[in-house]
Amino acid sequence: MAINNHVVIGLIPARGGSKGVLRKNLRMIGGKPLVGFTIQAALSSRYIDATYLSSDDDEILAYGENNGVKPMRRPSELSSDTASAVGVVKHFLDALQPHLVGQDPYIVYLQPTSPLRSGIHIDAALLQMMMQQAHSLMSVVEMAKSPFKSFSLDDHGRLKSIFDEAMSNQRRQDLPKAYMPNGAIYVFRSSEFLSKGGFPSNGSVPFMMSQDESIDIDTEEDVRHIEYILKERNG
């Protein structure tokens, strides 16, 4: 189902390696590999027209293809610990069929480390973006601690307020609410990504998600937390 007459493409980045959790994207959680949650979410979306899985790993690519998404192999240099998401998207757009790129599709970037983001979330986010007549969206979570009370160190190793010093003395309740991306959903037009050389952020629609929905799998503790939540949900 096109948005504003533009094709909507889901992109799932899932490399084979990982640091905190061995073979993270294939780690079995609640009876299926971690990447399976995001594949299921993308395929259940009413608005995503096609979903691609970008990976350097044969097993991940085979799993994705067997479960209904289009595999796209990416080189090992774009799958290292230091590789950036910007590089992954650039490679994807370079490899995508020219006729699709020419349609300036919306890209829905879905990291598999957010297993509690569902197809319902994706569709609600896309609908919110359409309702606000915007072209980019980012899922966010409210920050528990205010960044307006933060400090850096000056050249002499002394504390220096990052924002106005007066803010560091205010009650948290009196400071503006602050939000940070939770990594679950990014939406942008391919043309805007290419013109900016990265993910659009300023001016994007914020899609609010809860602390639990925003869990990002990075450590074994995160895995245990997700397993606990899934167990509670399933009774």
Side-chain angles (χ1 to χ4, degrees):
M1 183 184 295
I3 293 178
N4 299 329
N5 297 317
H6 289 264
V7 173
V8 182
I9 295 176
L11 174 57
I12 303 171
R15 66 191 183 101
S18 56
K19 274 189 173 180
V21 179
L22 185 65
R23 299 278 290 158
K24 177 166 59 179
N25 286 312
L26 290 173
R27 176 67 175 268
M28 296 300 291
I29 298 176
K32 61 184 169 187
L34 176 62
V35 70
F37 288 87
T38 295
I39 289 174
Q40 182 179 18
L43 294 179
S44 66
S45 167
R46 293 183 302 146
Y47 296 108
I48 293 178
D49 298 299
T51 300
Y52 291 78
L53 177 67
S54 169
S55 182
D56 61 318
D57 188 272
D58 289 339
E59 192 175 353
I60 292 175
L61 289 168
Y63 177 84
E65 188 170 21
N66 290 336
N67 284 274
V69 297
K70 302 175 186 294
M72 183 173 284
R73 182 175 297 279
R74 71 175 190 254
S76 56
E77 61 266 25
L78 290 175
S79 302
S80 66
D81 291 333
T82 57
S84 70
V86 170
V88 172
V89 176
K90 283 183 177 177
H91 170 265
F92 173 73
L93 293 175
D94 286 342
L96 197 61
Q97 297 95 324
H99 77 277
L100 283 177
V101 178
Q103 295 178 47
D104 192 13
Y106 281 96
I107 305 297
V108 184
Y109 189 81
L110 303 167
Q111 298 184 129
T113 48
S114 300
L116 297 184
R117 173 254 296 109
S118 67
I120 293 173
H121 290 117
I122 295 170
D123 285 350
L126 290 169
L127 185 59
Q128 182 177 331
M129 189 184 74
M130 284 189 286
M131 295 277 290
Q132 296 192 28
Q133 298 182 335
H135 297 299
S136 61
L137 174 144
M138 183 186 299
S139 61
V140 297
V141 60
E142 185 176 348
M143 297 179 69
K145 295 184 177 181
S146 175
F148 296 108
K149 286 179 171 285
S150 302
F151 296 84
S152 60
L153 298 181
D154 64 18
D155 294 338
H156 304 288
R158 304 293 180 87
L159 290 172
K160 178 183 178 182
S161 295
I162 293 178
F163 299 94
D164 189 325
E165 185 178 24
M167 285 186 163
S168 65
N169 296 308
Q170 291 188 34
R171 299 188 314 152
R172 179 181 61 82
Q173 297 92 329
D174 296 330
L175 293 169
K177 289 185 177 182
Y179 305 88
M180 64 182 297
N182 65 1
I185 306 170
Y186 296 89
V187 187
F188 47 87
R189 288 259 290 276
S190 59
S191 60
E192 189 173 3
F193 175 90
L194 292 171
S195 66
K196 287 180 176 290
F199 290 69
S201 53
N202 289 346
S204 293
V205 172
F207 181 71
M208 310 293 181
M209 294 178 68
S210 70
Q211 292 287 340
D212 275 352
E213 292 167 342
S214 299
I215 294 173
D216 182 77
I217 301 294
D218 192 47
T219 65
E220 288 291 341
E221 183 179 353
D222 296 329
V223 172
R224 290 190 290 271
H225 192 178
I226 288 289
E227 289 176 332
Y228 173 78
I229 291 174
L230 291 174
K231 186 177 180 181
E232 288 292 302
R233 286 184 176 183
N234 297 329

